[in-house]
């Protein structure tokens, strides 16, 4: 939610794509949207995910297409129980024992760098701190918590990131060690170092967006219920296709890319 807010403030909301667990892709309506937006689903088992992940990443290589690829190397949400398991594993394997984050899983991150190194220019390390406490989904949805959201963003040029998988693993572990220290300092000081502040989003712009969404949704709902049988058939077929696509992970070539490919074939 807050990464989308960051993308909106930077004018990049149309370019952000997420790597997320496959169960979210099967949610009604939301899963369809994730599928259309070309999010990458993972089972969080590398032997299962590698082929699909590399296939999806290969479709994002065009340097002319702006891309923000959001990756969560921890692979899951933070809980006390998961933190204890992560700390135990770290202690047994000579890795940093972290208190505020989990040990990152490195294979997916390495694959992203390997596949996209020629089309990306940097990695942005984003650390988020909440006041007064880390919210649940329902806290966010109801507006109860948090009262403040702090973001620490560091831009790291790709040239400063190693290329071999072993070196990338070490580099990522070090980044999470620094991230853990950042969050520890945030807890004690109430802010990240060298903080600035973002201005409020335009109320008018937000209202225009809200009205546009309501009008579009209402129009589609009205046409689905009251229009001709042909529109109802179209909606039914579209829903059936999206349901099958999300269940079987069907990824058709985007229309623009398909047209470009056809023109290239014709010219050659």
């Amino acid at each position: 939610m807050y990464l989308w807010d960051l993308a909106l403030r930077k004018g990049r909301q149309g370019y952000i794509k997420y790597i997320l667990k496959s169960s979210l892709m099967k949610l009604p309506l939301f899963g369809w949207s994730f599928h259309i937006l070309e999010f990458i689903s993972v089972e969080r088992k590398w032997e299962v995910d590698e082929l699909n992940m590399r296939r999806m990443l290969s479709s994002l290589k065009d340097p002319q297409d702006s891309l923000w690829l959001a990756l969560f190397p921890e692979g899951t949400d933070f809980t006390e129980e998961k933190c204890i398991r992560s700390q135990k594993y770290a202690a047994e394997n000579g890795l940093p024992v972290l208190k505020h984050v989990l040990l990152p899983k490195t294979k997916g991150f390495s694959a992203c760098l390997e596949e996209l190194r020629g089309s990306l220019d940097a990695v942005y390390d984003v650390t988020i701190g909440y006041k007064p406490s880390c919210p649940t989904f329902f806290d966010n949805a109801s507006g109860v918590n948090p009262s403040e959201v702090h973001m620490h963003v560091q831009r790291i040029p790709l040239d400063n990131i190693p290329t071999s998988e072993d070196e990338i693993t070490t580099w990522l572990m070090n980044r999470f060690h620094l991230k853990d220290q950042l969050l520890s300092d945030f807890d004690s000081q109430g802010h990240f170092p060298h903080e600035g502040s973002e201005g409020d989003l335009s109320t008018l712009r937000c209202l225009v967006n809200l009205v546009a969404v309501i009008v579009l949704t209402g129009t589609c709902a009205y046409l689905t219920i009251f229009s001709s049988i042909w529109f109802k058939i179209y909606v039914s077929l579209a829903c059936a296709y999206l349901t099958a696509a999300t269940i079987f992970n069907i990824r058709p070539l985007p229309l623009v890319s398909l047209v470009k490919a056809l023109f290239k074939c014709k010219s050659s």
Side-chain angles (χ1 to χ4, degrees), residues 4-266:
W4 255 316
D5 184 86
L6 177 64
L8 177 64
R9 291 170 181 273
K10 304 305 177 184
R12 291 293 182 268
Q13 65 271 28
Y15 304 132
I16 189 168
K17 301 182 189 300
Y18 289 84
I19 297 177
L20 61 143
K21 60 184 180 181
S22 59
S23 58
L24 295 176
M25 300 289 281
K26 294 178 173 60
L27 290 173
L29 299 181
F30 288 103
W32 297 355
S33 301
F34 299 158
H35 201 83
I36 292 169
L37 293 170
E38 299 181 283
F39 291 2
I40 300 175
S41 64
V42 292
E43 299 288 342
R44 295 182 290 186
K45 296 178 181 177
W46 185 240
E47 61 275 11
V48 176
D49 293 327
E50 182 177 11
L51 185 62
N52 176 63
M53 189 171 177
R54 290 187 183 277
R55 179 173 62 86
M56 286 297 299
L57 289 170
S58 67
S59 68
L60 305 176
K61 286 184 176 181
D62 190 343
Q64 295 182 348
D65 294 333
S66 298
L67 172 67
W68 276 19
L69 182 63
L71 173 67
F72 303 87
E74 292 163 290
T76 186
D77 55 331
F78 181 94
T79 65
E80 290 300 325
E81 182 182 353
K82 292 173 184 175
C83 183
I84 291 171
R85 288 206 304 265
S86 177
Q87 290 174 338
K88 182 180 178 182
Y89 178 86
E92 291 172 350
N93 291 273
L95 298 171
V97 177
L98 309 176
K99 298 179 181 179
H100 303 278
V101 292
L102 307 178
L103 282 175
K105 296 176 172 62
T106 59
K107 288 189 177 296
F109 180 75
S110 296
C112 290
L113 286 180
E114 181 182 336
E115 294 291 334
L116 300 176
R117 190 172 283 272
S119 54
L120 296 181
D121 56 0
V123 167
Y124 288 84
D125 184 3
V126 181
T127 306
I128 306 179
Y130 305 96
K131 282 186 176 182
S133 61
C134 185
T136 65
F137 174 79
F138 295 104
D139 288 339
N140 272 316
S142 61
V144 173
N145 187 37
S147 59
E148 293 181 15
V149 178
H150 296 244
M151 284 190 175
H152 183 277
V153 184
Q154 182 175 355
R155 184 183 189 276
I156 305 160
L158 236 58
D159 293 339
N160 295 349
I161 302 175
T163 55
S164 73
E165 186 172 339
D166 288 342
E167 289 177 325
I168 290 173
T169 297
T170 302
W171 181 89
L172 189 60
M173 288 292 179
N174 290 337
R175 291 304 313 178
F176 267 74
H177 195 193
L178 293 173
K179 191 185 291 284
D180 190 64
Q181 186 59 51
L182 268 176
L183 288 169
S184 178
D185 293 342
F186 178 83
D187 278 353
S188 60
Q189 300 171 11
H191 60 83
F192 289 125
H194 313 298
E195 274 199 2
S197 60
E198 286 279 344
D200 291 334
L201 291 172
S202 167
T203 303
L204 178 60
R205 182 182 176 188
C206 292
L207 285 174
V208 169
N209 288 338
L210 176 63
V211 170
V213 169
I214 292 173
V215 169
L216 183 61
T217 304
T219 301
C220 289
Y222 176 84
L223 292 174
T224 302
I225 298 171
F226 298 108
S227 69
S228 69
I229 186 66
W230 295 109
F231 190 82
K232 293 176 182 177
I233 291 173
Y234 165 74
V235 171
S236 300
L237 290 174
C239 291
Y241 166 74
L242 288 169
T243 300
T246 52
I247 292 174
F248 299 108
N249 197 27
I250 301 169
R251 296 283 182 164
L253 192 66
L255 184 59
V256 175
S257 300
L258 180 61
V259 172
K260 285 182 181 178
L262 289 174
F263 271 109
K264 285 181 180 179
C265 289
K266 189 174 180 180

